[in-house]
């Protein structure tokens, strides 16, 4: 009876670290995660939001994510240009439409095309960012998985246990 209680205590002691869900503490170091918002994604590294230049800084050592993040930067700049030029033509069309309806209508059409192209470039930029983040995370996981062992002993204030990684 005593031996069964001892074995049960040992099993409970070493199995106390089994979790059912991967938390942010169990993610690989330097992994970028994202939250989807309405028409946008927020990219986070260690809980801090990332901007596009900071993402480019982290991805400069990895060729494929670096190329994709540069394309994301380019399409983001084209998005800003499309919105800017489109809004200028739209405002110009609205101001001119009272004096010259034909010219005002043409300017409004050009403005809507500019705003529409800005929206399309924003969608393309978002897809390049997401693809770059996915490839970056894969590269970082490969780098850190080379340095990890399959069995670890973990002790913390919550308890202790042996963690077994199955690859």
């Amino acid at each position: 009876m005593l031996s069964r209680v001892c074995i049960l205590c040992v099993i409970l002691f070493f199995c106390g670290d089994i979790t059912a869900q991967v938390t942010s503490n169990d993610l690989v170091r330097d992994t970028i995660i994202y939250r989807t918002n309405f028409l946008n994604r927020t990219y986070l590294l260690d809980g801090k939001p990332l901007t596009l230049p900071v993402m480019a800084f982290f991805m400069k050592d990895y060729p494929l994510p670096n190329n994709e993040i540069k394309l994301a930067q380019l399409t983001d700049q084209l998005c800003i240009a499309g919105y800017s030029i489109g809004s200028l033509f739209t405002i110009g069309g609205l101001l001119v439409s009272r004096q010259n309806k034909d010219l005002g209508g043409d300017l409004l059409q050009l403005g809507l095309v500019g705003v529409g192209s800005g929206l399309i470039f924003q969608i393309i930029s978002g897809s390049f960012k997401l693809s770059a983040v996915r490839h970056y995370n894969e590269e970082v996981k490969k780098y850190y998985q080379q340095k990890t062992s399959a069995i670890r002993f973990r002790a913390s204030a919550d308890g202790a246990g042996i963690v077994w990684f199955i690859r």
Side-chain angles (χ1 to χ4, degrees), residues 31-53:
T31 301
I32 298 174
I33 59 173
Y34 62 91
R35 286 186 300 189
T36 304
N37 300 333
F38 181 71
L39 294 178
N40 197 11
R41 286 185 185 93
T42 304
Y43 295 94
L44 304 168
L45 180 68
D46 291 333
K48 296 177 183 82
L50 292 176
T51 60
L52 195 56

Side-chain angles (χ1 to χ4, degrees), residues 9 33 42 104 122 142 164:
C9 288
I33 59 173
T42 304
Q122 182 177 6
K142 285 180 192 174
W164 182 26

